[in-house]
Amino acid sequence: MTHESEETTVTSRNIEAIRTAYAGFASRDIEGVLSAMWPDVEWVHPDGMDVYGLGGTKHGHAGIKEFLAHVPTVLGGMRLSPQEFIESKDRVIVFGTREVTSRAGTTATLNFVHSWTMRDGKATKMEDIFDTVAFHRLIES
């Protein structure tokens, strides 16, 4: 098992791929995000976000692009800050925070856990796990 925090430099091929995805999010480079994922990737968000069109499973690069294009209709902005990476076999778990701004301008920092399932150095599945109640409160503020 590989454990990586900001202080360590041990990095696997899988963690490097996921770091590429987060760098793509930070720079708004969608192709950079997708480069870390297989074309048939599953992109999973809590069903509790369905009311905003942000829940459930999206399939493939096209599904992710559609999802990401929809996010600005619900949120004013978001910045991800991955903080800890834990790897075991084909799974990488990322603990972090996201600074989320509502369309009305309210900002909050919310925790997330991302579970990445990997194959040959690319993601086959990403599951976003977070407190949907806190997210709803922010969206509605």
Side-chain angles (χ1 to χ4, degrees):
M1 180 166 64
T2 301
H3 180 271
E4 180 182 337
S5 67
E6 292 302 321
E7 297 85 38
T8 63
T9 58
V10 176
T11 305
S12 74
R13 177 180 174 196
N14 288 338
I15 290 174
E16 279 301 318
I18 293 167
R19 284 190 177 281
T20 297
Y22 288 117
F25 282 120
S27 65
R28 307 274 191 250
D29 174 12
I30 301 305
E31 293 308 316
V33 171
L34 297 176
S35 74
M37 301 176 204
W38 287 101
D40 62 348
V41 65
E42 290 181 76
W43 185 260
V44 184
H45 287 83
D47 289 338
M49 297 301 289
D50 282 349
V51 67
Y52 303 109
L54 299 176
T57 302
K58 310 304 183 244
H59 297 277
H61 289 186
I64 293 172
K65 286 180 180 179
E66 183 179 310
F67 173 86
L68 294 174
H70 178 66
V71 170
T73 69
V74 178
L75 298 172
M78 182 170 8
R79 189 177 78 222
L80 298 175
S81 296
Q83 297 167 345
E84 185 176 1
F85 297 75
I86 300 172
E87 181 176 24
S88 181
K89 298 181 183 174
D90 67 347
R91 182 72 56 101
V92 177
I93 305 298
V94 179
F95 294 91
T97 60
R98 65 177 122 219
E99 186 176 285
V100 184
T101 303
S102 71
R103 303 257 314 148
T106 303
T107 299
T109 300
L110 305 174
N111 294 322
F112 71 78
V113 176
H114 288 163
S115 173
W116 298 82
T117 304
M118 307 296 289
R119 184 182 75 238
D120 298 327
K122 287 191 175 192
T124 61
K125 184 175 189 177
M126 191 287 297
E127 296 174 80
D128 192 358
I129 303 158
F130 57 90
D131 181 345
T132 57
V133 173
F135 219 106
H136 282 244
R137 276 192 210 116
L138 179 65
I139 290 171
E140 300 300 325
S141 65

